[in-house]
Amino acid sequence: MLSEEQILTSVVFLVLAGDPSGTGGLHIEMPVTYSGHPSQPSWMAYIQPDGLAPTGTQSLSIYVCTSPTATVGVYQLHLNLLTLSGQRSVSIGQFLLVCNPWCPADSVYVPHEKLRDEYVKNDFGILYMGTPSNITFRPWSFDQYEPDVLETCMKLLQVSPLHRANWKKDYRLRADPVYISRVVSAMINCEDDKGVLMGKWTDNFNGGINPNQWTGSGEILRLWAKSGFQPVKYGQCWVFAAVMCTVMRALGVPCRVVTNFNSAHDTNANLIIEEYYSEKGEKLHQSSDSIWNFHVWVECWMKRPDLAVGFDGWQVLDPTPQERSEGVFCCGPAPVKAIRECCFSMFYDIPFVYAEVNAEVHTFIVKDHQLHRSKVEKDRVGSLICTKGLGSCMYQNITAEYKSNKACMSPGSNIRKFSEGLSVSLKIHTSPVAGESITFTITVTNQDSCMKTLKEHVNAQAKQYHSSPMHTIWDEHRIVTIAPCQTVEIPHSIPRQALLCEDLINLAVVVEDAATQKRVLACEEFSISRPTVSIRVQNENDVAINQEGYVTVSFRNPFPEPVSGELTITASGLLENKVQARVLLLQPGAAVERKITFTATTPGIKTLHAVLVLKNCPAVIRGFKNFRVNGV
């Protein structure tokens, strides 16, 4: 503590932490004044008396005002003093500087408080999955306020290849959220660097964690930091995106997670995805292109001074490693408006994202190595694009922000069917639910004036969201006679035993005219809704900080077979460590119940997650509960 009269002059000296030379020219010096806040956005420091200390000396506080164009990073803070007794330097400590969406002069400024609450401050999210006709969702804890998470996000910038290649240039560019977002997009995956997550899209997750078991970003980021920046195993698109959302929010950049249903991966950039079926309705692996039932990326809010006027706002960024951008596995930032308006020459990766939401689908039936085109679909890809609603757990449809009514580069009409005198459609009667059979109807119309004998081939294949179908789980074949201009409905049912461990199904029917051997295809991909883990909070409206409470977590087995597994409960701000419990053989219809005690350490909305991983099939059952913790 210093007497105000002793100080003749003082200078605040800031050095970016990690500067190998100590200064390297990357430092800020500013005289300390006795005035208040700056009249214009710039670096400045000022002294303000706090009153007398117990020793009788004057206590002073030094306030540092940062520039909105300052570099994001960790700063060491020093104070150089010239007093009546001489000159000396005092090391005050360090602080972490992030972007400021509350500051109108900052490139990430958001003018509405509700938007900042949702896209910067909110540490709870909803990730949407499944198919457009049966959307499923799961909660995610972004954990940006958890211990060491912000520090780990700063380390992510420090260990990036761009920083290691030219640390001085990297520091100077970190004032730009465009640059920061590209660095983070590349560093979330480990393809080119010491990135956070290793992706894996097979059923074997030995040596790591099944991506379906993650419930939040905090554990992933802590594991990465504690391992000396070795990739955490394993991630898939929603994990990559959710972790990136955490990093961007922690760095002060508004960010939201977005799901694109029926997302195209157009490897040859021709805006056409080819799909092939056998004459018996089995989908074939004959194309490097693919359609993911859903794909998850993020959008970040920022100004784009590197582009023409009008392209500020939401920008697509995708950390899932699909294609290289300027030699690195990252994607974006691509302005959403530029995708909608087909501005393909702009930075970054707009043609790739455009194809993800707009590519055409051409479907073929293969017979004796010959291709018979069945249909062309223009509106299947990108059929629904959504994000978590503002202050809500319901999804917000943002498809119109990406797609105009008229596509830019897609030839042909919306759907062209090559039906050869037959019309075929497929309709599923109820929303598919695990543990129940699935009933559906095939409707066939004879458009000709002659009797037809038809061969009907129906095939159901299990599939993963990111790839073509795998093995056939059920099929059926029959002969049907149909009169001229007649319509017949053919009922079918897939037994529940065939669906025990499946999440997604590709269902297809091929109807063949026995006389002409002409074939017509109809197909549908659908997700199967899983049961949920039930969570009940005791005295939910009276939960208070620093007081013990408890929740009851329960699960009833809806499957036709016994199940066993492991139950894991996590809750940021409620449980110091995750709670795990084994679930022994649970008979059909039987229930298991666990009571968990907790003590809330901070007030506000808290989320408790429960995940049940079954052992006898690769199914993950989950549940969550949001409730408010009252302050003192």
Side-chain angles (χ1 to χ4, degrees):
M1 296 181 185
L2 296 169
S3 169
E4 187 174 345
E5 291 76 20
Q6 289 180 314
I7 302 174
L8 299 179
T9 62
S10 55
V11 175
V12 168
F13 187 73
L14 299 174
V15 181
L16 276 161
D19 180 340
S21 67
T23 61
L26 296 179
H27 64 278
I28 300 102
E29 290 185 40
M30 66 197 83
V32 180
T33 70
Y34 290 92
S35 61
H37 296 282
S39 59
Q40 58 184 2
S42 62
W43 285 99
M44 75 163 293
Y46 64 94
I47 287 178
Q48 188 173 85
D50 291 332
L52 291 176
T55 58
T57 58
Q58 176 71 53
S59 174
L60 303 174
S61 293
I62 296 179
Y63 293 83
V64 176
C65 298
T66 64
S67 167
T69 59
T71 289
V72 169
V74 182
Y75 287 78
Q76 302 289 345
L77 182 62
H78 304 271
L79 179 64
N80 292 335
L81 296 167
L82 179 61
T83 69
L84 292 174
S85 57
Q87 182 175 349
R88 63 192 179 101
S89 178
V90 180
S91 178
I92 299 177
Q94 69 177 29
F95 65 88
L96 283 65
L97 182 63
V98 299
C99 300
N100 186 357
W102 281 262
C103 174
D106 199 295
S107 293
V108 300
Y109 173 65
V110 176
H112 302 293
E113 188 67 25
K114 288 184 178 180
L115 299 179
R116 294 192 291 262
D117 287 344
E118 180 67 54
Y119 303 131
V120 182
K121 295 169 65 177
N122 192 5
D123 62 353
F124 168 77
I126 296 289
L127 311 181
Y128 299 98
M129 303 177 179
T131 61
S133 60
N134 189 18
I135 297 174
T136 61
F137 64 90
R138 67 184 58 177
W140 190 270
S141 182
F142 292 119
D143 296 332
Q144 67 264 40
Y145 306 120
E146 289 298 291
D148 302 322
V149 167
L150 176 56
E151 290 78 5
T152 300
C153 295
M154 288 294 184
K155 290 176 183 176
L156 181 147
L157 300 178
Q158 296 297 99
V159 301
S160 76
L162 292 175
H163 183 82
R164 288 184 283 117
N166 190 334
W167 58 268
K168 189 177 295 187
K169 179 181 179 182
D170 172 66
Y171 273 140
R172 288 181 174 137
L173 290 172
R174 277 201 218 161
D176 182 5
V178 174
Y179 174 80
I180 293 172
S181 65
R182 279 186 67 78
V183 171
V184 174
S185 176
M187 284 297 298
I188 297 299
N189 69 75
C190 67
E191 294 299 317
D192 306 293
D193 42 47
K194 295 182 178 181
V196 177
L197 280 159
M198 179 181 293
K200 195 168 189 179
W201 284 267
T202 64
D203 288 332
N204 184 354
F205 297 107
N206 292 339
I209 302 295
N210 183 332
N212 281 298
Q213 294 179 231
W214 299 116
T215 59
S217 304
E219 182 179 7
I220 294 171
L221 290 168
R222 282 191 291 268
L223 286 172
W224 177 69
K226 288 179 181 178
S227 70
F229 312 119
Q230 297 300 309
V232 176
K233 303 175 182 178
Y234 295 101
Q236 292 184 6
C237 69
W238 69 90
V239 186
F240 286 108
V243 173
M244 181 166 183
C245 187
T246 295
V247 175
M248 298 309 290
R249 288 186 183 182
L251 296 178
V253 181
C255 188
R256 63 186 186 184
V257 179
V258 172
T259 300
N260 176 37
F261 287 97
N262 293 331
S263 186
H265 186 177
D266 182 19
T267 57
N268 57 8
N270 66 351
L271 289 174
I272 294 175
I273 307 297
E274 296 88 2
E275 293 187 334
Y276 302 91
Y277 284 82
S278 74
E279 59 184 306
K280 298 297 178 65
E282 181 184 10
K283 196 171 186 179
L284 306 174
H285 300 263
Q286 292 191 1
S287 175
S288 59
D289 291 343
S290 61
I291 297 178
W292 296 21
N293 290 88
F294 65 89
H295 181 47
V296 185
W297 56 64
V298 302
E299 291 176 1
C300 291
W301 182 275
M302 65 187 72
K303 294 179 182 177
R304 291 300 303 269
D306 56 324
L307 301 179
V309 175
F311 292 94
D312 298 342
W314 290 117
Q315 315 283 320
V316 172
L317 288 139
D318 190 352
T320 300
Q322 293 188 87
E323 301 288 339
R324 294 187 183 273
S325 172
E326 297 185 342
V328 178
F329 276 108
C330 68
C331 180
V336 173
K337 184 178 178 182
I339 296 164
R340 189 178 190 274
E341 297 183 1
C342 312
C343 302
F344 299 127
S345 61
M346 286 187 175
F347 298 127
Y348 291 91
D349 309 305
I350 293 169
F352 181 76
V353 181
Y354 179 86
E356 288 184 297
V357 301
N358 282 303
E360 284 190 355
V361 183
H362 293 203
T363 306
F364 300 87
I365 298 173
V366 181
K367 168 66 174 176
D368 297 331
H369 305 290
Q370 297 293 318
L371 298 182
H372 305 275
R373 181 143 56 172
S374 174
K375 60 182 176 179
V376 174
E377 296 171 279
K378 181 179 175 182
D379 56 358
R380 177 174 155 200
V381 168
S383 56
L384 173 63
I385 306 170
C386 66
T387 188
K388 178 182 176 296
L390 196 64
S392 167
C393 287
M394 301 297 292
Y395 73 80
Q396 176 186 350
N397 187 340
I398 58 173
T399 311
E401 297 180 22
Y402 281 80
K403 305 178 71 168
S404 62
N405 292 330
K406 182 178 180 181
C408 305
M409 297 178 59
S410 298
S413 58
N414 281 350
I415 299 179
R416 297 206 306 271
K417 295 183 179 180
F418 303 85
S419 58
E420 303 295 346
L422 291 173
S423 173
V424 178
S425 64
L426 185 158
K427 181 179 180 180
I428 300 170
H429 294 303
T430 57
S431 179
V433 177
E436 299 180 6
S437 60
I438 296 175
T439 59
F440 62 97
T441 298
I442 306 296
T443 301
V444 183
T445 299
N446 181 1
Q447 298 171 336
D448 292 337
S449 58
C450 60
M451 182 79 71
K452 291 181 182 289
T453 298
L454 307 176
K455 298 178 181 178
E456 183 207 37
H457 306 286
V458 189
N459 186 285
Q461 294 168 274
K463 78 180 299 286
Q464 295 176 319
Y465 77 97
H466 58 274
S467 64
S468 296
M470 302 171 290
H471 55 281
T472 294
I473 62 169
W474 172 88
D475 60 0
E476 200 163 271
H477 312 275
R478 67 179 67 181
I479 302 295
V480 178
T481 301
I482 186 169
C485 303
Q486 183 187 13
T487 296
V488 296
E489 294 185 346
I490 309 170
H492 294 277
S493 178
I494 305 176
R496 62 180 186 170
Q497 289 80 3
L499 302 165
L500 176 61
C501 297
E502 311 304 340
D503 289 315
L504 285 166
I505 301 295
N506 188 85
L507 181 62
V509 56
V510 172
V511 176
E512 176 186 352
D513 187 330
T516 65
Q517 295 189 335
K518 300 295 184 180
R519 298 171 179 83
V520 186
L521 169 75
C523 56
E524 178 82 22
E525 290 185 346
F526 59 87
S527 57
I528 299 175
S529 299
R530 290 284 177 196
T532 60
V533 177
S534 175
I535 301 172
R536 187 174 68 256
V537 181
Q538 182 193 31
N539 300 325
E540 180 179 339
N541 296 326
D542 299 320
V543 178
I545 186 174
N546 297 326
Q547 293 183 7
E548 187 175 89
Y550 77 81
V551 297
T552 302
V553 180
S554 59
F555 171 72
R556 185 175 299 278
N557 178 16
F559 299 109
E561 299 178 7
V563 298
S564 60
E566 185 173 70
L567 179 66
T568 302
I569 298 99
T570 59
S572 297
L574 297 176
L575 298 172
E576 185 175 352
N577 299 301
K578 58 186 177 183
V579 176
Q580 294 181 302
R582 293 184 63 190
V583 176
L584 301 177
L585 205 62
L586 193 64
Q587 297 297 326
V592 62
E593 185 175 281
R594 296 285 187 273
K595 288 186 177 181
I596 309 295
T597 60
F598 66 86
T599 302
T601 56
T602 55
I605 299 297
K606 303 299 176 185
T607 305
L608 192 143
H609 301 247
V611 176
L612 174 60
V613 181
L614 300 184
K615 299 297 184 184
N616 51 328
C617 73
V620 178
I621 314 299
R622 62 186 72 247
F624 74 99
K625 178 71 173 179
N626 289 341
F627 58 95
R628 178 175 292 278
V629 174
N630 301 310
V632 292

